[in-house]
């Protein structure tokens, strides 16, 4: 059930929906059209991580669903999902990096609305390459998203649970390598 492979620079969502009278079906939508950068914080003190991806780039293997996801995520109001971390405390982060686990607090902007998230992440090494990987268990309600049923729930009824997943190639996070030196 692996969603990512070593070297991927992607994000994904995973949820479950009941299909045809109660059969649970896992739904995964992935996007590898991700840009990530470490930039100077808006207040000029420290740095922030910024991750951006086009809403319409999610691919779940079902183009009708992907169109509906774009609509639910407010692609008309805001074509890109955007995560901006809080300014990073360099001393604290260096300690967390030694443990290879940390939480990155920030704001996830969806459809023109900002939502606070605390994203648990870990540093993963594979064949001498490093990635940042994480899984944030959450709900649609936390992002003010109401997922519709199909045919009154007889054909499809979504669960409330939602997972946001990330797997970013450290070498592709602009500014990170220079910052780490």
């Amino acid at each position: 059930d692996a969603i990512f492979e070593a070297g991927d620079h992607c994000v994904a969502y995973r949820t479950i929906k009941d299909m045809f009278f109660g059969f649970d079906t896992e739904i995964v939508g992935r996007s590898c059209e991700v840009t990530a950068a470490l930039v100077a914080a808006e207040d000029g003190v420290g740095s922030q991580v910024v991750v951006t991806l086009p809403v319409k780039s999610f691919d779940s293997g079902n183009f009708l669903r992907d169109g509906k996801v774009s609509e639910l995520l407010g692609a008309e109001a805001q074509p890109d999902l955007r995560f901006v971390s809080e300014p990073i405390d360099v001393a604290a982060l260096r300690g967390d990096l030694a443990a290879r686990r940390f939480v990155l607090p920030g704001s996830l902007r969806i459809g023109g609305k900002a939502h606070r998230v605390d994203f648990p992440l870990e540093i993963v090494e594979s064949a001498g390459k490093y990635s940042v990987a994480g899984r944030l268990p959450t709900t649609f309600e936390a992002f003010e998203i109401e997922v519709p049923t199909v045919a009154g729930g007889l054909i499809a009824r979504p669960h409330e649970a939602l997972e946001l997943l990330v797997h970013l190639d450290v070498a592709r996070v602009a500014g990170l390598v220079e910052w780490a030196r």
Side-chain angles (χ1 to χ4, degrees):
D1 108 319
I3 294 174
F4 304 117
E5 296 178 15
D8 276 355
H9 190 72
C10 307
V11 298
Y13 68 84
R14 177 171 34 201
T15 190
I16 303 287
K17 70 177 178 177
D18 289 336
M19 294 288 295
F20 306 108
F21 309 105
F23 294 102
D24 284 349
T25 302
E26 181 179 77
I27 307 297
V28 175
R30 265 177 47 122
S31 172
C32 296
E33 294 183 30
V34 180
T35 59
L38 186 68
V39 300
E42 292 174 3
D43 64 7
V45 179
S47 301
Q48 292 176 283
V49 174
V50 178
V51 178
T52 306
L53 67 135
V55 172
K56 293 183 178 185
S57 66
F58 280 112
D59 182 1
S60 69
N62 178 318
F63 76 93
L64 294 174
R65 178 186 309 120
D66 297 339
K68 191 64 176 171
V69 166
S70 291
E71 185 180 310
L72 289 171
L73 296 179
E76 291 293 321
Q78 179 188 332
D80 293 330
L81 294 180
R82 183 174 170 90
F83 171 82
V84 178
S85 75
E86 291 181 359
I88 296 170
D89 177 338
V90 175
L93 182 61
R94 289 197 193 281
D96 290 342
L97 290 177
R100 295 196 177 204
R101 292 186 184 276
F102 59 101
V103 173
L104 191 60
S107 175
L108 179 58
R109 201 158 181 78
I110 302 172
K113 295 179 183 175
H115 305 276
R116 174 154 171 87
V117 294
D118 291 321
F119 218 108
L121 299 167
E122 66 179 308
I123 305 294
V124 179
E125 181 184 2
S126 178
K129 294 186 179 188
Y130 293 91
S131 298
V132 175
R135 179 180 80 77
L136 176 67
T138 186
T139 63
F140 288 105
E141 182 179 28
F143 298 106
E144 301 174 47
I145 298 171
E146 188 173 329
V147 182
T149 60
V150 178
L154 293 176
I155 294 177
R157 183 173 356 116
H159 288 207
E160 183 60 29
L162 172 68
E163 287 181 312
L164 303 180
L165 304 128
V166 61
H167 191 276
L168 301 176
D169 179 357
V170 168
R172 294 175 61 184
V173 177
L176 184 61
V177 173
E178 295 80 8
W179 174 83
R181 290 185 182 156

